[in-house]
Amino acid sequence: MAAPRRPTLADVAREVGVSAKTVSRVLNEDGPSSPETRERVLAAVARLGFQPNLMARNIRVGGSDTTVGLVVPDLGNPFFGTVAGGIEDTVRDRGLTLLMGSSADDPAREHALTRTFLARRVSILMIVPSVGADHSSLRTQRSAGLPVVFLDRPGARLATDSVVSSNRSGAYEGVTHLIAHGHRRIGFLGDLPVKLYTRRERLAGYRSALADAGLPLDRALLANAHDEAAAAGATRRLLGLAAPPTALFAGNNMLALGVAAELARLGRKDVALVTFDDVPLAEVLEPPLTVVAQNPAELGKAAAATALRRLDGDRSRARTVTVPTRLIPRGSGEIPGPARTR
Amino acid sequence: MAAPRRPTLADVAREVGVSAKTVSRVLNEDGPSSPETRERVLAAVARLGFQPNLMARNIRVGGSDTTVGLVVPDLGNPFFGTVAGGIEDTVRDRGLTLLMGSSADDPAREHALTRTFLARRVSILMIVPSVGADHSSLRTQRSAGLPVVFLDRPGARLATDSVVSSNRSGAYEGVTHLIAHGHRRIGFLGDLPVKLYTRRERLAGYRSALADAGLPLDRALLANAHDEAAAAGATRRLLGLAAPPTALFAGNNMLALGVAAELARLGRKDVALVTFDDVPLAEVLEPPLTVVAQNPAELGKAAAATALRRLDGDRSRARTVTVPTRLIPRGSGEIPGPARTR
DNA sequence: TTGTAAGCGTTATCAC
DNA sequence: GTGATAACGCTTACAA
């Protein structure tokens, strides 16, 4: 059973007895066509099961593929999945499809994926940049008209559009919330690596919240972790200090899980906690988790909208869109601190 | 600033003073080439920033695109994201890229996506089938050699490879676990629609666990929900029955969240709970959540491995791979029932 | 209303 | 070793 070659436009044309161009016209509702040939063409298309080859079409028509190339650190992280969903929702009726790959936050893998996407001639390129990645090589593409958008974090050495969360003010709001409830020693659990944009921004928010409240910055209260287990360990360490914090601020959803789990294991319901990023079951924890929620779907939508405008010819200078975060008080952040309980 | 056309093979050839074919040969390490021209070609490629056009290449070389088309119900659901990650890991070094789209469990959207993927000439097609979708139209493609794999659920009217979790035996194990702890009235919360494969299979497991234990099936204990809120409502309803269940079995991760949240709100720590699918923070709940965990990454890997074998010429008959689930007892499933406490 | 010729950027074939 | 030419499947430009 030899695989029968897929039917082409020419096959349909031969079947009907017209030229390929006529078939093309009918299918794309391009120029005029007599109702009769139209009907015969459509019949033949159905009979043969013909499906136009999009690659061939794209290569002829514009040169670029009708896809959005998206590089994320991790496909399994629902944050990025939701971002992707927001992008898809926005570009779907422009006929664009999502081409996705994960970088594992490795600049080399990110670069390889980017190259593949460029080789595929994606219509839009979106990247959640890895720490240490250099994006200067995209400059040519960008000035040649390819919309490039950085997501969640700005890229390096390339002036282009970015869409990020209000990391700094969100963290500021979360920490200020803790201060308002009487806490004066607040532990900060940050992402790794320490150069990571989101970590730096959130830490900056933490610092200015302390400063604005006239509280000193105690470096002993700063900790780092890049996974749940490490976050749990860091939590233990912080709480074991001679002068321990009475509240904690966790820098992302992964860390939130680790910290919340460790507090539960330790039975420390007296320690206040606010986390950056919402997590499932946050309301069910005891106490329910107070969070600074991001809006990943909106992040994706904003990025897609920006890119589509570029595609439509917007040549204005690079913009950074900031998607607001939202403090959701649920209980863990309202546990009173010494300045209140006293 | 007119967008400078992207350099092509011909541009490189002209720059070097050789033919296009020679450049192609060098780049693909096809036929022989003198070290000298080789060097000059590579230099020109670098200088011009030339990147071969994969669309053009694919159209010429094999006709099919080096992509895996993947249709999932929801990009934001980490279950499917993790599945996608497993696929990517497996196909990456074959040079395949992931083309993804979400169906929202709508057969029409699933079909549209599938058509797009076919038009793009994907090398492999993977689908998490929506309820009510008909896949008979893929028969031609499949017999023409396109690997088609159904994920998580089998497709309809098409004999092809599928990769699913051990839904039935997993549910059986979870429910048996509850029975072993003394429960005789166990509520079942299922997915919607009721025709959904995973729901039917898990319900079958529930039923046979009861049957094997000599327990009667009480239809009043069966409930349906398709989101967290509905699951919470169904939980309330079940617990409000004249003869309420002493244990609950939740049919997926979404429902697990709803049920766990509702039990917490009601303060019902006496009701045992086992859920299908693991969820984040499961260990932190009070009591920690006992689950029947699936293995989404393995699901993706198995699907990809199967498809790659097909691509390599495996023409054996359609197979169904079952990825085992695993019961993880953490506390909520070990709450004793009347037959134990009495 | 329809057809012809040319071309998109690449590779296969077969010469030289 | 290298190059000319045709071809992949489609659309654009122009003619009939």
Side-chain angles (χ1 to χ4, degrees):
Chain A
M1 178 191 81
R5 204 176 40 77
R6 251 183 186 147
T8 77
L9 208 56
D11 294 327
V12 179
R14 199 172 312 117
E15 177 92 356
V16 183
V18 296
S19 81
K21 178 63 217 180
T22 301
V23 179
S24 167
R25 255 194 289 260
V26 170
L27 260 41
N28 296 315
E29 291 170 348
D30 203 8
S33 54
S34 84
E36 197 217 325
T37 43
R38 197 183 139 66
E39 192 152 335
R40 286 171 51 215
V41 165
L42 292 178
V45 164
R47 185 155 8 105
L48 268 54
F50 168 75
Q51 281 185 301
N53 184 327
L54 253 181
M55 282 193 295
R57 169 168 227 282
N58 286 333
I59 202 183
R60 183 69 251 257
V61 82
S64 62
D65 192 8
T66 52
T67 48
V68 176
L70 172 63
V71 183
V72 299
D74 174 15
L75 290 171
N77 187 327
F79 180 84
F80 298 116
T82 307
V83 168
I87 297 170
E88 191 200 17
D89 283 345
T90 307
V91 303
R92 186 180 310 119
D93 27 81
R94 289 283 285 254
L96 296 175
T97 311
L98 226 48
L99 207 49
M100 281 183 78
S102 65
S103 67
D105 261 319
D106 172 357
R109 258 180 73 174
E110 175 190 321
H111 193 242
L113 263 173
T114 304
R115 283 191 64 91
T116 305
F117 288 168
L118 291 176
R120 309 194 73 88
R121 302 297 190 261
V122 294
S123 294
I124 291 172
L125 184 58
M126 295 192 167
I127 303 178
V128 178
S130 308
V131 173
D134 179 8
H135 304 95
S136 55
S137 61
L138 293 172
R139 199 162 299 162
T140 325
Q141 317 290 339
R142 199 192 109 86
S143 57
L146 174 72
V148 178
V149 181
F150 290 124
L151 266 167
D152 190 51
R153 320 162 189 172
R157 297 169 185 281
L158 179 68
T160 192
D161 301 310
S162 315
V163 179
V164 297
S165 285
S166 56
N167 292 294
R168 194 183 291 228
S169 67
Y172 180 94
E173 192 181 5
V175 174
T176 299
H177 186 72
L178 289 169
I179 296 172
H181 284 273
H183 295 279
R184 303 183 57 82
R185 291 186 63 71
I186 302 172
F188 176 89
L189 270 111
D191 255 4
L192 279 177
V194 291
K195 299 181 76 174
L196 187 66
Y197 169 78
T198 49
R199 146 145 190 149
R200 288 202 324 248
E201 287 296 304
R202 293 168 196 175
L203 180 58
Y206 166 89
R207 295 177 76 139
S208 63
L210 293 187
D212 285 5
L215 294 176
L217 174 75
D218 183 349
R219 294 188 174 278
L221 296 181
L222 305 184
N224 311 311
H226 68 297
D227 61 26
E228 261 189 77
T235 302
R236 257 195 322 278
R237 185 181 71 67
L238 286 175
L239 295 179
L241 289 176
T246 62
L248 296 174
F249 183 82
N252 71 25
N253 54 1
M254 195 104 72
L255 305 183
L257 299 180
V259 177
E262 188 61 21
L263 288 181
R265 275 190 287 270
L266 298 173
R268 292 295 300 270
K269 304 204 174 178
D270 59 316
V271 178
L273 173 61
V274 172
T275 72
F276 210 97
D277 273 1
D278 206 352
V279 299
L281 288 179
E283 313 95 10
V284 180
L285 296 186
E286 301 182 9
L289 196 58
T290 294
V291 304
V292 177
Q294 298 191 74
N295 192 343
E298 186 53 36
L299 221 58
K301 284 181 188 165
T306 302
L308 289 179
R309 268 196 302 278
R310 295 291 180 194
L311 217 48
D312 293 339
D314 177 359
R315 288 279 177 277
S316 57
R317 53 186 269 276
R319 237 184 294 274
T320 293
V321 178
T322 303
V323 176
T325 52
R326 190 166 55 94
L327 178 73
I328 306 178
R330 294 202 182 101
S332 71
E334 292 73 45
I335 294 171
R340 274 288 185 84
T341 47
R342 230 175 248 163
Chain B
M1 177 190 80
R5 203 176 40 76
R6 254 183 185 147
T8 77
L9 210 56
D11 294 326
V12 178
R14 199 172 312 118
E15 177 92 356
V16 182
V18 296
S19 80
K21 180 62 209 179
T22 299
V23 178
S24 168
R25 257 195 286 259
V26 169
L27 259 40
N28 296 313
E29 292 172 345
D30 202 10
S33 54
S34 82
E36 197 217 326
T37 44
R38 196 183 141 67
E39 191 151 338
R40 285 169 55 214
V41 164
L42 291 178
V45 164
R47 185 155 7 104
L48 268 54
F50 167 75
Q51 280 185 300
N53 185 326
L54 254 182
M55 282 193 295
R57 168 169 227 282
N58 286 333
I59 203 185
R60 182 67 253 255
V61 83
S64 62
D65 192 9
T66 51
T67 49
V68 176
L70 172 63
V71 183
V72 299
D74 174 15
L75 290 171
N77 188 327
F79 180 83
F80 298 116
T82 307
V83 169
I87 298 170
E88 193 200 15
D89 282 346
T90 308
V91 303
R92 186 180 309 119
D93 28 80
R94 290 283 285 253
L96 297 175
T97 312
L98 226 47
L99 207 48
M100 281 183 77
S102 66
S103 67
D105 260 320
D106 171 357
R109 257 180 72 175
E110 176 190 322
H111 193 241
L113 263 173
T114 304
R115 283 190 64 90
T116 305
F117 287 168
L118 291 176
R120 307 194 73 89
R121 303 294 191 266
V122 293
S123 295
I124 291 172
L125 184 58
M126 296 192 168
I127 303 179
V128 177
S130 308
V131 174
D134 179 8
H135 305 94
S136 55
S137 62
L138 293 172
R139 200 162 300 162
T140 326
Q141 317 290 339
R142 200 193 108 86
S143 58
L146 174 71
V148 178
V149 181
F150 290 124
L151 265 168
D152 191 49
R153 321 162 188 172
R157 297 167 184 280
L158 178 69
T160 192
D161 302 310
S162 315
V163 179
V164 298
S165 284
S166 57
N167 292 294
R168 192 183 289 230
S169 68
Y172 180 94
E173 191 180 6
V175 173
T176 298
H177 186 72
L178 289 168
I179 295 171
H181 284 272
H183 296 277
R184 305 184 57 82
R185 292 186 62 71
I186 301 173
F188 176 88
L189 271 111
D191 256 3
L192 277 177
V194 292
K195 300 180 74 174
L196 187 66
Y197 169 78
T198 49
R199 153 160 180 134
R200 290 202 324 249
E201 287 295 304
R202 292 167 197 175
L203 180 57
Y206 167 89
R207 294 177 77 140
S208 64
L210 292 186
D212 284 4
L215 295 175
L217 174 75
D218 183 348
R219 294 186 174 280
L221 296 181
L222 305 184
N224 311 311
H226 69 296
D227 61 26
E228 257 188 80
T235 302
R236 259 195 319 280
R237 185 181 71 66
L238 285 175
L239 296 180
L241 289 175
T246 61
L248 297 173
F249 183 82
N252 70 24
N253 54 359
M254 196 104 72
L255 305 182
L257 299 180
V259 176
E262 188 60 21
L263 287 181
R265 275 189 288 271
L266 297 172
R268 293 294 302 268
K269 304 204 174 177
D270 59 317
V271 178
L273 173 61
V274 172
T275 73
F276 210 98
D277 273 0
D278 205 353
V279 299
L281 289 179
E283 313 94 10
V284 181
L285 296 185
E286 301 182 6
L289 196 58
T290 294
V291 304
V292 177
Q294 298 191 74
N295 192 343
E298 187 52 37
L299 221 59
K301 284 181 189 167
T306 302
L308 289 179
R309 268 196 302 275
R310 296 290 180 196
L311 216 49
D312 292 341
D314 177 358
R315 289 275 177 276
S316 58
R317 53 184 270 275
R319 237 184 293 274
T320 293
V321 178
T322 302
V323 176
T325 53
R326 189 166 56 94
L327 178 72
I328 307 178
R330 293 200 183 104
S332 71
E334 293 72 45
I335 294 171
R340 274 289 186 85
T341 48
R342 228 176 249 160

